[in-house]
Amino acid sequence: DADTWRKEGDIGYIRLPGFNEQTASGLQKAVRDLKKRIGPGIKGYVIDLRNNPGGLLDQAIQVSDDFLTGGEIVSTRGRHPEDTQRYDAKGGDIADGKPIVILINAGTASASEIVSGALQDHKRATVVGMTSFGKGSVQTVIPLGDGGGALRLTTARYYTPSGHSIQAQGIIPDIAVAQGNETNIPK
């Protein structure tokens, strides 16, 4: 885990490779460690979500909440009004309001798009990179009889706080930066 965060001068760099049971607590540990290492002169944090395929919804909500002092994080909307769920941030920002840059690319999907979209919509982070994958659906597994088979049914979609459907467009960066080889077109 040690290679997932490091100090780059007076900036803290944290890479989140996916969203599992340990992601939010790992992020909190990384921020505490970087604050100690860099000291009060810390300028901000880079959260690297490139090629992060996502994972657990509750961890995406917790990671977003860690940097937001309030407001909506994400909502899910289904076919029926009662399927709508909205998740809100509670108080407290572990980064003390310092600037945050989030790195995304075409491999950034699902839970990592929820975090990028929430922090972007609340103007809490600047999102840099390439448009994300666009996997904004919630799947429900419905067991079928005694045979042990199951059906995966897409029952809802994720929306960022501004009402932008992740499924439709992905997260569009504030600053578009191609990754090296995309721009090396021979003259």
Side-chain angles (χ1 to χ4, degrees):
D1 234 30
D3 61 345
T4 54
W5 73 87
R6 60 177 186 263
K7 91 191 243 324
E8 294 274 350
D10 46 14
I11 307 272
Y13 168 90
I14 303 167
R15 192 173 97 76
L16 300 182
F19 285 84
N20 61 32
E21 289 82 357
Q22 282 83 46
T23 302
S25 58
L27 172 75
Q28 291 154 11
K29 180 174 185 272
V31 169
R32 279 195 307 270
D33 182 56
L34 288 162
K35 277 184 192 174
K36 253 199 273 286
R37 274 197 229 174
I38 299 170
I42 190 163
K43 287 246 174 30
Y45 300 87
V46 172
I47 311 294
D48 192 346
L49 297 177
R50 289 174 300 177
N51 300 321
N52 179 324
L56 301 175
L57 175 64
D58 65 322
Q59 294 287 314
I61 290 165
Q62 184 57 58
V63 164
S64 303
D65 195 350
D66 281 341
F67 296 119
L68 293 171
T69 53
E72 181 180 314
I73 292 170
V74 68
S75 61
T76 61
R77 293 181 211 164
R79 293 191 180 88
H80 311 291
E82 65 272 15
D83 295 338
T84 299
Q85 277 185 296
R86 179 183 150 150
Y87 300 90
D88 290 303
K90 296 175 283 295
D93 170 3
I94 62 172
D96 311 312
K98 299 277 186 196
I100 293 170
V101 170
I102 293 179
L103 305 180
I104 66 169
N105 66 3
T108 300
S110 178
S112 53
E113 292 178 292
I114 289 173
V115 172
S116 310
L119 297 188
Q120 182 183 51
D121 281 4
H122 286 290
K123 309 264 186 282
R124 181 63 192 90
T126 302
V127 177
V128 175
M130 300 172 72
T131 300
S132 67
F133 184 80
K135 182 182 186 295
S137 57
V138 181
Q139 290 192 323
T140 306
V141 177
I142 299 164
L144 301 175
D146 301 328
L151 171 70
R152 276 179 184 271
L153 185 66
T154 299
T155 51
R157 288 189 165 186
Y158 292 123
Y159 290 82
T160 71
S162 64
H164 166 97
S165 165
I166 290 174
Q167 187 73 21
Q169 302 163 273
I171 302 299
I172 295 155
D174 299 306
I175 302 170
V177 178
Q179 278 180 292
N181 55 8
E182 285 93 351
T183 52
N184 295 346
I185 297 153
K187 292 196 172 47

